[in-house]
Amino acid sequence: MIQTTAASLAYQDQGRTVYACQDIDMEVGKHEFLGILGPSGSGKSSLLYLLSGLKIPTSGDVLYNGQSLSKLGDEERSRLRIREFGFVFQQPYLLGYLTSLENVLVSKPNENRVDEALDLLDRLGLSHKSHRHPHELSGGERQRVCVARALLGSPKVIFADEPTAALDHSNGLSVVQLLNAMRGTGSLVMVTHDPTMLEEADKIVRLADGRLDILN
Ligand SMILES: Nc1ncnc2c1ncn2[C@@H]1O[C@H](COP(=O)(O)OP(=O)(O)O)[C@@H](O)[C@H]1O
Ligand SMILES: [Mg+2]
């Protein structure tokens, strides 16, 4: 479903080339839960940006269903992301002036998905919080709103970048289990430095210094 061929992402840092990801060859399968494990600074976020088309590789390629993401224009790539992907980030990025329900709906603009959003919030145990604003929610509740937002529209792939990092272990684990249980037929690509979050993963890859280390 997603394939990378010798994909690298280089940054220019004071005239020096720094590789956040280097020569990555990997695949994300249909309906697969893939874990990307590695310490801080190993290139996990960068790899997630490449796989999801948030960034394009400085060399090599990333294919989504055989289509090179580098060959799409910015707008086309952004439409593909909105249509096909869901995202959960480390910090629950919610808009403070919107309710939980409205925050869920922003991931699929111009679509009427109110019933679906309410159903997701309900299944995440937040039906009574759908009209609350982010500052009225706990950290775990805020991240569950982000989970609902990522799940809206049944995306083909959900990308999660350390979604448990701002939570205590049990709230963190529950976020991962909910993502995994509710993703339907979608794939889940989750980045973390914490192997205990990947007990349900089908496959785990390891990153060290921007390179893929172990594949199992
Ligand atoms: N915009 C940037 N400019 C320069 N270097 C960057 C930039 N973003 C990330 N890096 C570097 O790339 C490496 C990998 O970063 P990142 O993908 O964020 O790692 P992780 O998510 O595993 O912590 C780090 O050494 C980081 O400093
Ligand atoms: Mg990161």
Side-chain angles (χ1 to χ4, degrees):
M1 167 156 240
I2 303 176
Q3 233 175 347
T4 73
T5 50
S8 298
L9 183 63
Y11 294 109
Q12 291 306 322
D13 189 20
Q14 299 180 325
R16 227 163 40 95
T17 304
V18 178
Y19 283 93
C21 291
Q22 200 162 6
D23 285 331
I24 305 286
D25 289 297
M26 63 175 286
E27 207 172 328
V28 181
K30 248 192 180 129
H31 190 49
E32 182 172 75
F33 176 178
L34 171 74
I36 299 173
L37 201 56
S40 175
S42 59
K44 302 182 300 298
S45 294
S46 300
L47 179 55
L48 206 72
Y49 300 153
L50 288 179
L51 292 170
S52 60
L54 280 166
K55 294 203 170 155
I56 55 171
T58 42
S59 63
D61 212 351
V62 180
L63 308 179
Y64 177 67
N65 291 332
Q67 161 76 61
S68 164
L69 295 180
S70 322
K71 296 206 175 80
L72 294 175
D74 285 351
E75 228 171 271
E76 228 179 329
R77 217 168 48 246
S78 146
R79 273 201 300 273
L80 179 128
R81 274 200 309 273
I82 292 171
R83 194 178 63 235
E84 310 271 314
F85 300 159
F87 292 89
V88 187
F89 295 99
Q90 178 166 349
Q91 295 299 330
Y93 291 116
L94 296 170
L95 296 167
Y97 56 90
L98 296 182
T99 65
S100 303
L101 174 62
E102 290 163 344
N103 267 294
V104 173
L105 291 168
V106 297
S107 67
K108 299 284 181 231
N110 312 316
E111 294 182 27
N112 182 6
R113 292 188 178 270
V114 173
D115 290 344
E116 185 191 344
L118 285 170
D119 180 55
L120 284 169
L121 286 170
D122 186 31
R123 289 165 63 199
L124 287 159
L126 291 170
S127 55
H128 57 304
K129 303 280 169 90
S130 63
H131 292 285
R132 297 283 178 200
H133 288 81
H135 73 271
E136 300 170 299
L137 305 175
S138 71
E141 287 169 342
R142 280 200 285 269
Q143 196 59 312
R144 275 184 283 146
V145 173
C146 294
V147 167
R149 183 176 59 191
L151 289 165
L152 191 72
S154 306
K156 301 284 196 307
V157 190
I158 296 163
F159 295 96
D161 191 353
E162 308 229 32
T164 66
L167 303 174
D168 62 53
H169 191 265
S170 85
N171 268 307
L173 201 56
S174 128
V175 160
V176 177
Q177 287 167 344
L178 285 165
L179 268 172
N180 191 31
M182 291 172 67
R183 66 193 165 99
T185 57
S187 306
L188 173 61
V189 182
M190 201 180 94
V191 154
T192 180
H193 62 270
D194 179 356
T196 66
M197 294 297 163
L198 296 177
E199 272 158 20
E200 295 177 354
D202 300 308
K203 194 167 94 188
I204 298 175
V205 287
R206 252 171 233 274
L207 265 182
D209 289 332
R211 289 184 180 271
L212 228 50
D213 202 21
I214 306 168
L215 205 59
N216 54 18

